[in-house]
Amino acid sequence: MSKAQIITKYQTQIQEILAQNHLQLFEINWIYEHETNVLQILAENSDSSVTNVEFDNLIAANEAISVLLDDDTDLTEPYVLEVASAGAERQVKIKKCLLITSINTFF
């Protein structure tokens, strides 16, 4: 299954699971790492004023997404599910955040 297929089929459900755990989707990646396919779901807090992502929220989201994907017979290739924080070093993808960051550099 490709990244595009995963996004088409599951993005809405993944976003709902993340929202239930006070998270929002940052990015979905399907990568090959250490001789294994990895479905990487990067998340950040749904409340942008909170900078740290709670580990318990990531664990709960990982478990719920795992249950969702385990029922799919289209995922025939072995893979590892990774639900993680997008991290402080992530590239800004939302124009609003980019604008705020740019404005703050001038003041």
Side-chain angles (χ1 to χ4, degrees), residues 1-78:
M1 184 170 273
S2 71
K3 176 182 173 180
Q5 291 170 315
I6 291 169
I7 289 172
T8 300
K9 191 167 184 177
Y10 293 111
Q11 182 169 342
T12 301
Q13 293 166 299
I14 289 170
Q15 287 173 318
E16 290 170 2
I17 290 169
L18 292 173
Q20 292 167 4
N21 291 284
H22 312 288
L23 300 167
Q24 67 181 12
L25 181 63
F26 180 77
E27 187 172 43
I28 296 176
N29 297 306
W30 180 260
I31 56 178
Y32 189 75
E33 186 175 74
H34 305 292
E35 299 181 17
T36 304
N37 290 316
V38 178
L39 173 56
Q40 183 185 62
I41 299 171
L42 300 178
E44 55 191 1
N45 282 315
S46 53
D47 179 357
S48 61
S49 68
V50 179
T51 56
N52 297 328
V53 174
E54 289 292 327
F55 190 66
D56 291 340
N57 293 349
L58 292 172
I59 292 171
N62 189 310
E63 291 172 354
I65 293 168
S66 180
V67 169
L68 169 72
L69 299 177
D70 283 348
D71 292 336
D72 188 349
T73 57
D74 290 340
L75 287 170
T76 56
E77 299 175 53

Side-chain angles (χ1 to χ4, degrees), residues 92 94-107:
V92 176
I94 301 171
K95 289 180 183 179
K96 177 181 169 186
C97 293
L98 183 58
L99 177 63
I100 291 170
T101 302
S102 297
I103 290 170
N104 287 336
T105 61
F106 293 107
F107 297 101

